[in-house]
Amino acid sequence: MDDFSVYAVLGVNDPPRRLISAAGTRQCSLAVPAHVHEVVLFSHGPWGSHPAVTVELSGDDRGAIAVGTLTRHQKCLLWDRREGEMGRNSCTLTVTLEGESLVGAVNKVRLKVTDAPSNSATAALVGEPPRKRKRGQAGEQNGHPTGQENVCPNPFSSHSSTPSRKVRGKAQRGQACLFTQGEEKTTACGPQNPRVKGKQSKTPTQTGNLDGPSGRWGQTLCPIDPQTAILIGGQGSRMNFCKDPMWKLCAEDMSWVPAETLAEGPTPEARIGHTATFDPESKRIFVFGGSKNKKWFNDVHILDTQSWRWTMVEAQGKVPPLAYHSCSLFRGELFVLGGVFPRPHPEPDGCSDALYIFNPEMAIWYQPIVNGDRPAPRSGHSACVLQGKIFMFGGWDTPVCFNDVHALDLGLMEFSAVRTSGRPPSPRSWHGCAVVSGSKFLVHGGYNGDAALSDTFIFNTENSSWSSVTGSQLSAVPRAGHSIITMAKPSKQGSAADEEQEEMSEGPAQMLLVFGGGDNEGSFFSHLTTVLVDDLLR
């Protein structure tokens, strides 16, 4: 391991400079002359058991952007100033060396890249003490669009995971036209023209008060028991990530409690498009993936709801950074399907058709062998587990929007396209989905490429039929990027009617809770809408 080193090359005529070595320098800052347009990082020597070198780019008043990761399989990275987000301004490349097999108390290294005078002949190496930071990784994956039949009303030239509203009635390149009217959005997975600046929306944004979370979309709402749910993440107006990212919902009286300071340990960085999945056996919430501006995540954070402590998993195996994927729990493992991932220019992003499984006990990612009719690549879809199968609905891969249903048999590990009857929902993504019985799931709202939707449908897995729900208060407000969960209806203590109803239904009545989302007209919601599940099924 003494031979392991990481080197940097500044420009085509610069000799390699050793920055990190197992037995030598572990901390450094590298000043880069302004005329140098490229920085190459590469490793040399044996990697040992599991070290990795992650690289992030940050600058003044800008969030960190994942540049890439050096591993034993990818031993070289290139940062191009001419194509980088920071331009020629002062910026910092943060390089983190990980792995217990590298000896020494300090296992983090920082490489600062700042503009130096153009007549500088060399770059100075200066030691810098380590500090805590958030971590994200970028990667690539094969997930190219295949033959599809449902086309969005408005075709877009590139996919966008952060929806944006049309500007002057015309979709901008790399945008999906959702939410704030007249306001340009920098997408989480699509390039933007920095010279184009949209006007700020004058439409008032609906936000929460001191007693509840602010208005947002792209968050997760995760039930942890029949009367409690945890809200994580989200983004509000003007692309601002929520400063109140974590709340606890008590369904007994529909009250919110700020939960950001309730749990100890490193909390996940602000994000949207992630998933939060609760395991009732271990009483833990697993948060995976998501994006923040142009930063992508493939990290796994775990919240133990008994000790109220966050931990970040140092997982083995490979999984790409993903956002707007689905995550389903089955027999203690997490099944991640689809999603959007960063892809190099000229195609700025791509959708996945892959299945990744995370085993919490082994802390490892793996890809199983899957047969059958695999669904086309997509993101913004929904998935739920019923009768030993994962049912997958909707989503999109620009410019195509889907309304098909696929099922993954978890015993045979085989996909099949489900032939449905009844009038199906129109093609959509970023909709809400929830299981409402042992054989039925509900789909509500979403985005069809042009507008937010308010309709509601129920799918019966026993006969593969769709039915629409009319007359429900769910149809009052179009929304997309919202959260839908089911929880037990609070019963009045000592109520004979409630006790009789519970006996007849073999359990407490269930209610559907809808939170957040946007209406494609500049409003982001913070109120809760509740509907009895029995009323929807009737």
Side-chain angles (χ1 to χ4, degrees):
M1 236 5 244
D2 291 343
D3 295 331
F4 176 82
S5 302
V6 174
Y7 294 82
V9 178
L10 282 65
V12 295
N13 297 320
D14 188 67
R17 304 167 183 267
R18 188 166 69 172
L19 306 177
I20 304 170
S21 65
T25 303
R26 304 292 302 279
Q27 310 166 28
C28 68
S29 296
L30 176 61
V32 179
H35 64 275
V36 173
H37 294 160
E38 297 164 332
V39 176
V40 177
L41 297 170
F42 66 93
S43 69
H44 177 74
W47 277 83
S49 59
H50 61 270
V53 178
T54 58
V55 183
E56 287 181 346
L57 184 69
S58 60
D60 296 337
D61 300 326
R62 294 175 182 260
I65 299 171
V67 174
T69 305
L70 292 175
T71 67
R72 60 174 54 86
H73 305 293
Q74 180 177 327
K75 300 181 179 181
C76 182
L77 288 174
L78 167 67
W79 175 69
D80 192 330
R81 185 190 297 273
R82 291 164 297 193
E83 297 181 1
E85 295 82 356
M86 300 300 171
R88 300 185 63 84
N89 297 327
S90 177
C91 55
T92 300
L93 274 174
T94 303
V95 181
T96 303
L97 177 62
E98 302 174 2
E100 297 177 357
S101 60
L102 294 180
V103 297
V106 179
N107 67 351
K108 291 189 177 181
V109 178
R110 272 151 186 87
L111 166 63
K112 278 194 175 180
V113 180
T114 56
D115 285 332
S118 59
N119 58 0
S120 297
T122 59
L125 293 174
V126 183
E128 180 190 9
R131 65 181 187 278
K132 292 184 179 180
R133 70 175 187 90
K134 303 294 183 181
R135 182 168 64 91
Q137 293 180 337
E140 300 177 15
Q141 171 191 350
N142 294 326
H144 301 289
T146 59
Q148 302 136 352
E149 64 277 10
N150 299 319
V151 180
C152 287
N154 290 337
F156 304 108
S157 58
S158 66
H159 186 285
S160 168
S161 73
T162 299
S164 306
R165 180 67 177 170
K166 292 180 182 177
V167 179
R168 296 182 181 177
K170 194 172 184 179
Q172 294 189 21
R173 180 176 180 85
Q175 293 182 334
C177 303
L178 185 64
F179 297 149
T180 306
Q181 187 172 6
E183 176 187 356
E184 185 194 44
K185 303 282 190 176
T186 302
T187 68
C189 47
Q192 293 293 318
N193 184 351
R195 298 184 179 88
V196 179
K197 294 185 178 180
K199 296 180 180 179
Q200 296 295 339
S201 170
K202 296 183 180 179
T203 305
T205 298
Q206 182 171 353
T207 59
N209 52 34
L210 296 177
D211 297 327
S214 59
R216 66 191 67 196
W217 83 282
Q219 73 289 328
T220 57
L221 187 60
C222 181
I224 61 174
D225 62 47
Q227 293 292 311
T228 311
I230 302 298
L231 174 69
I232 300 174
Q235 185 183 62
S237 63
R238 301 179 182 178
M239 286 205 67
N240 292 323
F241 283 83
C242 298
K243 296 183 179 179
D244 55 337
M246 189 172 174
W247 289 79
K248 180 179 179 181
L249 171 64
C250 302
E252 187 174 2
D253 57 359
M254 294 300 167
S255 63
W256 291 98
V257 177
E260 181 72 11
T261 59
L262 292 181
E264 299 179 348
T267 59
E269 190 171 345
R271 63 191 67 194
I272 55 175
H274 55 287
T275 53
T277 309
F278 180 68
D279 179 8
E281 295 294 329
S282 63
K283 307 295 183 184
R284 296 184 295 174
I285 296 176
F286 295 86
V287 177
F288 169 72
S291 65
K292 180 183 180 182
N293 298 324
K294 294 184 178 180
K295 183 175 181 178
W296 299 74
F297 301 97
N298 65 348
D299 49 2
V300 178
H301 293 260
I302 299 178
L303 175 61
D304 189 317
T305 61
Q306 293 181 308
S307 63
W308 283 104
R309 183 171 184 84
W310 283 102
T311 57
M312 189 174 72
V313 180
E314 294 293 337
Q316 301 296 306
K318 296 178 65 176
V319 63
L322 289 171
Y324 307 101
H325 51 282
S326 64
C327 184
S328 305
L329 179 73
F330 182 71
R331 294 180 178 175
E333 292 186 314
L334 303 180
F335 288 68
V336 173
L337 276 166
V340 68
F341 59 90
R343 187 164 60 188
H345 185 78
E347 298 178 275
D349 46 49
C351 285
S352 168
D353 64 351
L355 169 64
Y356 293 88
I357 298 179
F358 179 70
N359 184 303
E361 290 189 7
M362 303 292 293
I364 188 171
W365 286 98
Y366 67 94
Q367 283 189 272
I369 298 174
V370 182
N371 301 311
D373 187 6
R374 184 187 296 268
R378 66 191 68 198
S379 66
H381 56 283
S382 60
C384 57
V385 178
L386 281 169
Q387 301 173 334
K389 297 180 179 180
I390 296 179
F391 288 87
M392 184 177 179
F393 168 76
W396 80 345
D397 185 9
T398 302
V400 179
C401 205
F402 301 97
N403 67 343
D404 53 355
V405 179
H406 280 75
L408 172 62
D409 190 308
L410 295 171
L412 301 176
M413 293 306 293
E414 184 177 26
F415 272 111
S416 62
V418 180
R419 297 174 62 92
T420 66
S421 61
R423 185 173 70 89
S426 59
R428 66 192 64 202
S429 63
W430 298 313
H431 50 276
C433 178
V435 174
V436 292
S437 77
S439 60
K440 297 178 181 178
F441 65 85
L442 174 143
V443 169
H444 167 66
Y447 178 65
N448 65 7
D450 183 59
L453 306 171
S454 63
D455 49 3
T456 305
F457 295 82
I458 290 179
F459 185 76
N460 189 330
T461 60
E462 291 183 343
N463 56 17
S464 300
S465 64
W466 284 105
S467 60
S468 61
V469 177
T470 58
S472 168
Q473 58 181 308
L474 293 179
S475 60
V477 179
R479 67 177 78 206
H482 51 296
S483 300
I484 296 183
I485 60 173
T486 55
M487 302 185 74
K489 176 191 174 185
S491 59
K492 297 180 181 179
Q493 189 172 5
S495 172
D498 288 332
E499 291 178 1
E500 182 179 354
Q501 182 179 3
E502 289 186 14
E503 290 179 1
M504 295 178 60
S505 60
E506 299 181 354
Q510 295 290 307
M511 61 180 180
L512 196 77
L513 281 73
V514 181
F515 172 81
D519 67 350
N520 198 32
E521 298 296 335
S523 293
F524 295 84
F525 305 116
S526 62
H527 61 268
L528 276 171
T529 299
T530 60
V531 183
L532 283 176
V533 170
D534 286 343
D535 292 343
L536 295 171
L537 296 177
R538 283 196 294 265

